[in-house]
Amino acid sequence: MVTKEEVLEEYGLDQLDESRNVSLSEEELENDSKGQLIKKAGQLRDRRNELNQMASERASKRDDLNAKTREKVDEAQEHRESRDELNEQVQEHKESRNELNAQANELFDEVEEMKQDLELGSGKSIEELKEEIEDLEFKQQTEVLGTDEERELIEKIESKREKLAEKKGKVDQSGELEELIEEAEEVRSEASTHHQKVTELADEAQEHHNQMIEAYREADEIRDEADAMHELFVEAQESADQHHEDFVRVQKRLRELDKEEEAEKKEEREAKMEEEREEAEEIYQKFKEGETLDTEDLMKLQKTGLL
């Protein structure tokens, strides 16, 4: 089983350095100043982007590996289909071979029966008789024999010539036998041709089977790499998601602080306006009582709309 470390090394990818991750505690979120939180948000955003880039690279590699796995599976399937087609052809040739062999066996059985009927299988063959006659004639021509011996030799030669003639006569009458033998041999030859095809096609089918097994093995290896790469992708993506969640939390906290600041400023403005209004009313009261107002007092009255 391939490890994540082996996959990282194989494809030249960087390890996820957790020491570079940015942490965010609840205490920091609640108690850090706005400036500290802005800095923290920037760190979280930058690390999130780095991790998203890392996750994207790993996802791309994973997808490439999954595509290669599918290619290998498709290749294996093609070899499987070729193997199965060839095996079907093997079976067809086997059936033809067996049928022809059975037919040939029947024909050769008929040949033997016909030979027995013609008695061609009994006694000596034509060739053997010819050789024996030639030997006896050679003896007659080369050896000095007595009258009785030569008469006996001539009788033997005549006897064998008669047997030879008889056997030749039977053979001459057995044209049907020769045709039957020829037919049986042709059928046997055709059966041998089918047997040769069985051997050739079976070897080819076995080669496709071997290639199918190899393709499936390679697919399994690549799938293991893809699975390991997916784990690396999940690892980087989850870390990126965590940084994004923390970034969002900081952004939310900053908006809350902005609202708090705005509320404080509004409260300060309203308090100041109230104070200016009260002061203006005092000045206006003095004015009604006939006191002389200086320029600054007049401007305060104008500002509050009392003049």
Side-chain angles (χ1 to χ4, degrees):
M1 189 69 178
V2 66
T3 65
K4 292 187 289 185
E5 290 72 19
E6 289 171 338
V7 170
L8 287 171
E9 183 177 355
E10 173 72 18
Y11 294 97
L13 300 177
D14 295 329
Q15 276 274 17
L16 195 158
D17 185 0
E18 294 186 355
S19 67
R20 298 187 62 241
N21 288 349
V22 181
S23 61
L24 176 69
S25 66
E26 288 297 329
E27 183 178 356
E28 288 175 317
L29 189 63
E30 293 299 325
N31 300 325
D32 279 2
S33 66
K34 186 175 180 181
Q36 290 173 317
L37 289 173
I38 290 173
K39 181 179 179 181
K40 178 72 74 171
Q43 293 171 340
L44 287 166
R45 181 194 62 236
D46 293 344
R47 182 57 175 163
R48 176 202 65 189
N49 293 344
E50 290 175 4
L51 290 166
N52 275 330
Q53 179 62 30
M54 180 180 291
S56 178
E57 291 174 358
R58 294 178 178 187
S60 178
K61 289 292 184 183
R62 175 204 61 196
D63 293 344
D64 289 343
L65 289 167
N66 281 331
K68 289 180 180 178
T69 299
R70 286 191 293 273
E71 288 176 3
K72 282 296 175 183
V73 169
D74 290 343
E75 179 183 333
Q77 186 61 30
E78 288 176 2
H79 285 300
R80 179 193 291 276
E81 291 173 358
S82 296
R83 179 203 65 184
D84 292 346
E85 289 174 3
L86 288 166
N87 280 335
E88 287 180 6
Q89 294 179 42
V90 166
Q91 190 59 35
E92 290 172 1
H93 283 287
K94 275 185 178 181
E95 291 173 0
S96 297
R97 178 200 64 188
N98 294 342
E99 289 174 2
L100 289 166
N101 275 330
Q103 184 180 344
N105 289 338
E106 290 179 0
L107 290 170
F108 278 116
D109 287 343
E110 291 181 26
V111 167
E112 290 304 315
E113 290 177 5
M114 188 174 292
K115 280 183 177 180
Q116 289 176 6
D117 292 341
L118 295 171
E119 297 182 348
L120 293 175
S122 62
K124 294 180 180 179
S125 68
I126 291 175
E127 293 301 321
E128 288 174 334
L129 289 170
K130 284 182 179 179
E131 289 178 4
E132 289 180 358
I133 292 169
E134 287 176 359
D135 290 342
L136 290 172
E137 288 176 340
F138 180 77
K139 183 177 180 180
Q140 182 185 23
Q141 294 169 5
T142 57
E143 293 183 12
V144 178
L145 301 172
T147 303
D148 292 338
E149 289 178 330
E150 187 170 358
R151 186 185 310 110
E152 183 180 348
L153 183 61
I154 292 172
E155 289 177 354
K156 284 184 178 179
I157 292 172
E158 289 300 323
S159 175
K160 290 188 180 293
R161 283 176 176 170
E162 288 176 0
K163 290 180 180 179
L164 178 60
E166 181 183 355
K167 185 151 290 208
K168 281 184 175 180
K170 288 183 177 181
V171 169
D172 290 340
Q173 296 172 9
S174 62
E176 183 181 347
L177 174 62
E178 294 300 324
E179 291 178 2
L180 190 60
I181 292 172
E182 184 178 350
E183 181 183 357
E185 288 176 347
E186 286 179 357
V187 173
R188 182 76 79 196
S189 175
E190 189 177 351
S192 296
T193 300
H194 282 287
H195 179 71
Q196 181 63 30
K197 290 298 294 183
V198 166
T199 302
E200 293 174 1
L201 292 170
D203 289 344
E204 191 176 348
Q206 184 62 44
E207 180 60 27
H208 279 289
H209 177 76
N210 295 340
Q211 291 177 357
M212 177 195 73
I213 296 300
E214 177 61 18
Y216 274 132
R217 185 192 63 77
E218 291 178 8
D220 288 339
E221 287 184 355
I222 299 171
R223 186 182 291 107
D224 286 345
E225 291 183 355
D227 290 343
M229 190 65 74
H230 180 68
E231 290 181 22
L232 290 166
F233 156 74
V234 171
E235 180 182 277
Q237 191 61 62
E238 286 181 347
S239 186
D241 291 344
Q242 183 59 55
H243 280 74
H244 179 69
E245 290 174 10
D246 288 344
F247 172 75
V248 170
R249 290 169 64 204
V250 172
Q251 291 293 92
K252 182 180 179 181
R253 178 59 180 158
L254 286 171
R255 287 194 294 272
E256 290 174 354
L257 290 175
D258 285 342
K259 289 179 180 180
E260 290 175 5
E261 287 183 2
E262 182 61 30
E264 289 176 1
K265 288 179 181 179
K266 182 179 180 182
E267 187 177 337
E268 288 175 1
R269 288 196 301 271
E270 290 177 349
K272 184 176 181 182
M273 289 176 62
E274 180 63 24
E275 183 180 344
E276 290 175 350
R277 188 182 63 75
E278 290 176 355
E279 183 181 4
E281 286 180 351
E282 290 179 3
I283 294 171
Y284 185 68
Q285 187 62 37
K286 291 178 182 179
F287 173 70
K288 287 197 298 182
E289 293 174 357
E291 291 186 18
T292 303
L293 303 179
D294 56 23
T295 304
E296 184 178 353
D297 289 338
L298 290 171
M299 289 179 64
K300 289 179 180 179
L301 289 174
Q302 287 178 344
K303 185 177 181 181
T304 58
L306 294 176
L307 184 63

